[in-house]
């Protein structure tokens, strides 16, 4: 691997942060796991242990849920005005912004993502999400309803009330963004939270917890329990005193969450996997579509739920697009997250690297061919080469299943109906894109695609204000935008005769 530059020096506060085992935040106190156990988190750029964190399990989840329940029912939180809640959230965002460089470094170290990306995308997006939802705290409204029951006069209106204690289980691909995205609407609507970060990347969520008190958010409103999915996560999903679970991760675990939630019929929202089609028509501005398709798959080492992992190109431009994407892919500077010139970091873990490589092997055994890439890079850290696969078809595992790594399959098409059948021929429905200069065709295709987001002549554009979520097995509900507040509120109808 070409390592032309040096890694940046680690900030003093970050070095001190990872030097000590990190406790969990329960009821405003930093505590060890009841079992006393800890587990390591790794730096994927080196494969070395980065830090140790508390290994919370069922007992700790019980403590955290009890704290969240008490804060919801009895604490000062329920009497704090919406305006003050919004101001607290804004302070929370300001504090995060003030410590942006520390968070960017910690995110890069724990997840492996390029420091440049953490600085440019992860931290500013997290700040923006908190601010966007801070604005909503004062705007969660019900309606007045003109009812006609029994011919009498009634006043009827709806209230939108916080759903209660919320369990939030998040993945490792955008650790801080996932935490702020989930916390934002919960705080804006007056809920209390138990957050469980992914075992691979617990550190930035914990560091965010350090800012909670300084922002003035009362004890017990935000609790953060680190631990494994099968123990801590499962206990949270099954907990009888949790009113709602918000989960982001694999479709497989999403189904386990649904089963676990059945005990008390808690509300569930799910943001799951994808296998998003990215469609390039021959009449597109090909010079824009090529980098668009390249970034659409290789950003964040392909570990993006809405990655454009199935690239469909109209046959007349197939060779040109394959060449263009392959050339750009071969120039991506793969390197350790903490090198400022790195464009693509490692994947998050040894397990994920092996999973991606075994997908590649399966593709090759079924006849796929790598134009560039095709396996691991180097033997230190968890690097996978950006890979462009051709000779693929919809029967292959690499085309059907979410790889969640830097691998794109490129397939030609000529007939639009056949293309749509293939693009929609997946259990997923998270996102899709279409590249064409023909406005009518663009909007027709957008309407035919069974996906929660469709990009036209761009890829991967997300915003705190724009709803995001999946059709089919890509999820339940929509996050971001005002839609997300519906997931955190109950509607109450109030009705009284007035004559
Ligand atoms: P995952 O297992 O779905 O993990 C997501 C979160 O769920 C983590 O916090 C995990 O905890 C927790 N979890 C795991 N098992 C659980 C259970 N039985 N009950 C409650 N919570 C549980 O994802 P992964 O194993 O890290 O990645 C596997 C694949 O999932 C990837 O290759 C990719 O295809 C997909 N994925 C999708 C997204 C997305 O945004 N759509 C994000 C990540 C991964 P621990 O990590 O502590 O075990
Ligand atoms: Mg890590």
């Amino acid at each position: 691997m070409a390592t032309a530059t040096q890694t940046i020096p680690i900030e003093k506060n970050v070095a001190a942060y990872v030097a000590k085992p990190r406790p969990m935040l329960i009821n405003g106190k930093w505590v060890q796991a009841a079992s006393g156990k800890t587990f390591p988190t790794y730096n994927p750029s080196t494969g070395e242990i980065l830090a140790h964190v508390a290994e919370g399990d069922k007992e700790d989840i019980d403590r955290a849920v009890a704290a969240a329940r008490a804060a919801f029912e009895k604490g000062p939180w329920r009497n704090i005005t919406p305006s003050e809640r919004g101001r607290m959230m804004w302070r929370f965002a300001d504090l995060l912004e003030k410590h942006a460089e520390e968070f960017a470094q910690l995110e890069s170290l724990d997840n492996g993502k390029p420091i440049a990306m953490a600085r440019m995308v992860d931290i500013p997006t997290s700040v923006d999400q908190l601010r966007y939802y801070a604005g909503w705290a004062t705007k969660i409204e019900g309606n007045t309803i003109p009812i006609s029951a029994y011919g009498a006069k009634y006043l009827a209106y709806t209230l939108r009330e916080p759903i209660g204690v919320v369990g939030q289980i998040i993945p490792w691909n955008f650790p801080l963004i996932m935490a702020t995205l989930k916390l934002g609407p919960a705080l804006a609507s007056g809920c209390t939270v138990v957050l469980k970060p992914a075992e691979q990347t617990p550190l930035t969520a914990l560091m965010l917890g350090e800012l909670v008190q300084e922002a003035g958010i009362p004890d017990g409103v935000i609790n953060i329990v680190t631990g494994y999915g099968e123990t801590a996560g499962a206990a949270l999903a099954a907990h009888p005193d949790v009113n709602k679970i918000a989960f982001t991760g694999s479709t497989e675990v999403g189904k386990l969450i649904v089963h676990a939630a059945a005990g008390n019929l808690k509300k569930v929202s799910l943001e799951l996997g994808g296998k998003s089609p990215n469609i390039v028509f021959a009449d597109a501005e090909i010079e824009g579509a090529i980098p668009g398709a390249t970034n659409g798959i290789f950003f964040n080492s392909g570990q993006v739920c809405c990655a454009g992992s199935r690239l469909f190109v109209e046959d007349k431009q197939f060779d040109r697009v394959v060449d263009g994407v392959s050339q750009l892919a071969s120039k991506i500077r793969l390197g350790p997250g903490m090198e400022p010139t790195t464009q693509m970091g490692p994947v998050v873990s040894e397990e994920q690297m092996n999973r991606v490589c075994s997908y590649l092997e399966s593709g090759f055994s079924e006849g796929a061919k790598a134009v560039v890439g095709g396996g691991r890079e180097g033997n230190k850290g968890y690097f996978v080469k950006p890979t462009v696969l051709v000779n693929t078809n919809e029967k292959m595992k690499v085309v059907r299943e979410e790889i969640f790594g830097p691998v794109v399959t490129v397939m030609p098409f000529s007939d639009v109906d056949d293309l749509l059948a293939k693009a929609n021929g997946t259990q997923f429905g998270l996102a899709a894109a279409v590249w064409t200069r023909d406005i009518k065709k663009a909007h027709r295709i957008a309407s035919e695609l069974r996906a929660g987001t469709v990009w036209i002549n761009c890829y991967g554009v997300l915003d705190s204000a724009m709803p995001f979520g999946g059709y089919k097995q890509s999820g339940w509900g929509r996050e971001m935008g005002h839609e997300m507040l519906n997931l955190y509120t109950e509607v109450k109808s109030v009705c009284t005769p007035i004559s």
Side-chain angles (χ1 to χ4, degrees):
M1 193 182 341
T3 49
T5 52
Q6 290 291 308
T7 57
I8 59 166
I10 298 178
E11 290 236 340
K12 237 178 33 231
N13 289 348
V14 177
Y17 196 77
V18 296
K20 279 196 278 186
R22 303 314 315 179
M24 310 178 288
L25 181 62
I26 297 179
N27 206 18
K29 311 256 165 354
W30 289 98
V31 298
Q32 301 301 332
S35 66
K37 286 197 215 162
T38 63
F39 69 99
T41 179
Y42 297 86
N43 177 347
S45 297
T46 61
E48 286 158 10
I49 290 178
L50 173 64
H52 292 268
V53 301
E55 187 191 324
D57 59 24
K58 183 174 182 307
E59 203 177 334
D60 306 287
I61 290 289
D62 286 345
R63 285 196 286 165
V65 171
R69 173 59 58 194
F72 183 71
E73 307 280 350
K74 305 195 275 279
W77 186 234
R78 61 181 303 117
N79 296 321
I80 287 171
T81 62
S83 166
E84 179 55 14
R85 272 208 312 275
R87 284 199 298 274
M88 281 175 184
M89 292 177 68
W90 199 273
R91 281 199 294 273
F92 199 26
D94 285 347
L95 286 165
L96 177 56
E97 193 169 54
K98 187 171 134 198
H99 295 282
E101 179 60 17
E102 290 156 49
F103 278 90
Q105 292 194 8
L106 198 59
E107 198 74 316
S108 172
L109 287 165
D110 205 9
N111 167 282
K113 64 180 66 206
I115 182 72
M117 290 299 157
R119 284 172 179 158
M120 200 167 67
V121 178
D122 293 73
I123 313 308
T125 301
S126 300
V127 171
D128 184 67
Q129 283 166 339
L130 290 175
R131 289 195 181 134
Y132 174 78
Y133 284 106
W136 271 109
T138 48
K139 296 165 196 72
I140 298 172
E141 298 172 344
N143 297 314
T144 53
I145 325 271
I147 65 170
S148 312
Y150 319 118
K153 284 202 164 165
Y154 288 88
L155 170 64
Y157 60 92
T158 54
L159 297 172
R160 274 204 172 266
E161 297 181 341
I163 206 164
V165 173
V166 181
Q168 303 182 323
I169 301 176
I170 57 174
W172 41 255
N173 52 346
F174 295 94
L176 187 67
I177 289 179
M178 291 292 163
T180 52
L181 170 61
K182 294 261 188 294
L183 290 173
L187 294 173
S189 55
C191 295
T192 60
V193 172
V194 177
L195 174 75
K196 195 208 84 68
E199 70 191 59
Q200 296 86 349
T201 56
L203 295 176
T204 46
L206 286 174
M207 203 191 228
L208 187 67
E210 305 271 350
L211 307 178
V212 168
Q213 274 171 334
E214 207 180 333
I217 298 167
D219 292 351
V221 171
I222 297 176
N223 304 277
I224 304 170
V225 177
T226 47
Y228 293 117
E230 306 82 74
T231 51
L236 186 56
H239 203 289
D241 203 26
V242 168
N243 300 108
K244 175 205 161 52
I245 282 279
F247 171 80
T248 298
S250 60
T251 295
E252 191 190 343
V253 175
K255 290 179 184 176
L256 296 177
I257 301 282
V258 170
H259 284 288
N264 70 337
L265 287 179
K266 58 175 69 67
K267 309 292 190 275
V268 177
S269 56
L270 304 169
E271 204 271 273
L272 307 175
K275 192 74 184 175
S276 299
N278 189 7
I279 301 164
V280 181
F281 281 95
D283 64 3
E285 190 208 328
I286 300 291
E287 290 318 308
I290 288 171
T294 308
N295 294 332
I297 181 63
F298 298 122
F299 173 62
N300 212 42
S301 305
Q303 302 167 122
V304 180
C305 48
C306 57
S309 49
R310 290 184 299 147
L311 180 58
F312 292 95
V313 184
E314 195 166 1
D315 46 12
K316 282 168 267 180
Q317 291 289 356
F318 183 77
D319 290 344
R320 183 170 163 207
V321 172
V322 169
D323 282 355
V325 171
S326 301
Q327 273 186 35
L328 290 180
S330 65
K331 286 192 203 128
I332 292 173
R333 278 194 302 275
L334 195 57
M338 290 289 271
E339 279 185 18
T341 56
T342 290
Q343 291 171 323
M344 194 175 107
V347 297
V348 76
S349 63
E350 187 172 13
E351 187 191 355
Q352 190 64 12
M353 178 181 72
N354 292 338
R355 187 180 334 204
V356 175
C357 290
S358 72
Y359 269 113
L360 289 173
E361 291 310 316
S362 132
F364 298 142
S365 74
E366 292 183 292
K369 205 173 129 278
V371 184
V372 288
R376 186 177 182 182
E377 166 87 29
N379 52 18
K380 189 171 173 236
Y382 313 132
F383 294 91
V384 180
K385 291 178 191 143
T387 299
V388 177
L389 294 182
V390 292
N391 286 357
T392 56
N393 63 60
E394 61 281 5
K395 294 193 189 67
M396 293 179 175
K397 241 170 81 159
V398 284
V399 178
R400 280 185 289 115
E401 296 181 16
E402 182 176 49
I403 299 177
F404 226 62
V407 182
V408 64
T409 61
V410 201
M411 285 158 292
F413 71 89
S414 49
D415 176 75
V416 172
D417 290 333
D418 182 48
L419 160 79
L420 282 169
K422 284 185 177 147
N424 286 328
T426 162
Q427 58 167 325
F428 299 113
L430 194 55
V434 52
W435 301 78
T436 174
R437 285 192 172 93
D438 180 338
I439 296 179
K440 201 161 126 191
K441 185 157 69 183
H443 291 287
R444 184 202 148 197
I445 301 291
S447 75
E448 302 266 0
L449 288 165
R450 304 279 298 157
T453 299
V454 179
W455 292 289
I456 298 174
N457 295 333
C458 60
Y459 203 94
V461 178
L462 299 172
D463 191 276
S464 305
M466 188 167 77
F468 181 79
Y471 282 40
K472 299 192 262 182
Q473 293 190 37
S474 287
W476 286 356
R478 292 292 177 271
E479 298 197 316
M480 305 207 271
H482 60 81
E483 297 274 344
M484 193 171 183
L485 294 162
N486 296 341
L487 305 175
Y488 287 82
T489 50
E490 292 275 21
V491 175
K492 180 183 283 175
S493 290
V494 182
C495 166
T496 183
I498 52 171
S499 66

